[in-house]
Amino acid sequence: DTAVSQTPKYLVTQMGNDKSIKCEQNLGHDTMYWYKQDSKKFLKIMFSYNNKELIINETVPNRFSPKSPDKAHLNLHINSLELGDSAVYFCASSQQGSNQPQHFGDGTRLSIL
Amino acid sequence: EDQVTQSPEALRLQEGESSSLNCSYTVSGLRGLFWYRQDPGKGPEFLFTLYSAGEEKEKERLKATLTKKESFLHITAPKPEDSATYLCAVPNTGSARQLTFGSGTQLTVLP
């Protein structure tokens, strides 16, 4: 009964490829997020999304795009992968409201060759 | 710009040796502060939310406190299973749904 699940757990691919990471939550939350954790373990928000609003962190390249087929899913598409995209990507979800805790998946480790 | 700074970067304790982790923040109008625990290869696991200065929350050997400028995570008589990275985060000034995280404190508790 995993609350927030991501697939795949590991993703190894060549520079220039396009890839997707899937995320699903079964908590009934209405807001989902994508974070990037770099080699120094610093966790940085990329997107937050609910059915009314997509907020994109200004530092995120437009090669990254979130796609939400429904309230329980928020997938991450990445075009033209670059070496600097290597990181661990975390999906999270929460109820609406700034004081609601976010619940995280176990991450997808992306390695660019 | 919102900032969250955690110290120390790493902490090694003997089992039973109590200590505190610090999280200082700079944000306009605090709307809560979150503590998370992250184990290797896992996502952050929610521990506490603190909403206002003076508030305290406890869970087993952990106690979180909040002032107007910082939060402390006190660990009393830690055990090896408390070893993890502890992260704090605050809602962003611009978009409260988005969190700004500190870089974490890596805690190692030796048996």
Side-chain angles (χ1 to χ4, degrees):
Chain A
D1 58 342
T2 305
V4 181
S5 59
Q6 300 178 226
T7 54
K9 189 168 176 64
Y10 300 96
L11 183 54
V12 182
T13 189
Q14 302 259 343
M15 204 163 51
N17 283 352
D18 303 336
K19 289 294 178 185
S20 295
I21 305 172
K22 294 186 176 180
C23 178
E24 176 182 4
Q25 54 94 6
N26 63 4
L27 296 167
H29 290 163
D30 57 12
T31 304
M32 296 184 73
Y33 311 81
W34 278 104
Y35 285 84
K36 179 179 180 180
Q37 190 170 46
D38 61 25
S39 57
K40 295 185 177 179
K41 307 295 183 186
F42 193 56
L43 200 61
K44 193 164 185 180
I45 182 73
M46 300 175 72
F47 306 99
S48 62
Y49 180 80
N50 64 21
N51 59 359
K52 298 177 184 176
E53 190 178 34
L54 168 65
I55 299 177
I56 304 170
N57 185 291
E58 61 188 11
T59 65
V60 175
N62 58 14
R63 300 181 293 104
F64 291 78
S65 57
K67 289 193 172 39
S68 180
D70 56 59
K71 201 170 116 171
H73 297 82
L74 184 67
N75 303 325
L76 181 65
H77 295 270
I78 316 169
N79 295 325
S80 303
L81 280 157
E82 300 177 358
L83 289 174
D85 298 333
S86 295
V88 182
Y89 292 85
F90 287 96
C91 176
S93 70
S94 74
Q95 292 285 20
Q96 197 166 4
S98 62
N99 60 355
Q100 298 299 315
Q102 296 178 18
H103 298 268
F104 286 77
D106 282 340
T108 295
R109 182 174 293 277
L110 174 63
S111 300
I112 309 301
L113 303 177
Chain B
E1 184 182 337
D2 300 331
Q3 283 196 325
V4 178
T5 304
Q6 291 189 246
S7 62
E9 211 171 289
L11 181 62
R12 291 166 70 92
L13 300 173
Q14 289 296 132
E15 185 171 1
E17 180 187 359
S18 301
S19 189
S20 296
L21 313 182
N22 177 264
C23 170
S24 61
Y25 58 88
T26 305
V27 63
S28 299
L30 183 69
R31 286 169 285 186
L33 184 141
F34 300 92
W35 279 99
Y36 287 85
R37 167 193 171 128
Q38 186 174 20
D39 293 297
K42 298 287 187 181
E45 175 190 348
F46 170 70
L47 294 173
F48 305 108
T49 309
L50 301 166
Y51 294 105
S52 57
E55 188 175 0
E56 299 182 352
K57 293 269 178 78
E58 284 189 67
K59 180 179 180 179
E60 296 181 358
R61 295 174 292 282
L62 300 177
K63 179 171 142 181
T65 61
L66 182 65
T67 72
K68 288 186 178 178
K69 293 185 177 180
E70 58 192 348
S71 177
F72 291 93
L73 185 65
H74 307 277
I75 304 175
T76 302
K79 297 182 177 181
E81 53 261 42
D82 294 323
S83 297
T85 296
Y86 291 86
L87 300 165
C88 68
V90 297
N92 291 356
T93 299
S95 170
R97 283 204 204 96
Q98 300 197 350
L99 298 178
T100 295
F101 276 85
S103 55
T105 293
Q106 186 173 356
L107 175 66
T108 303
V109 182
L110 304 170

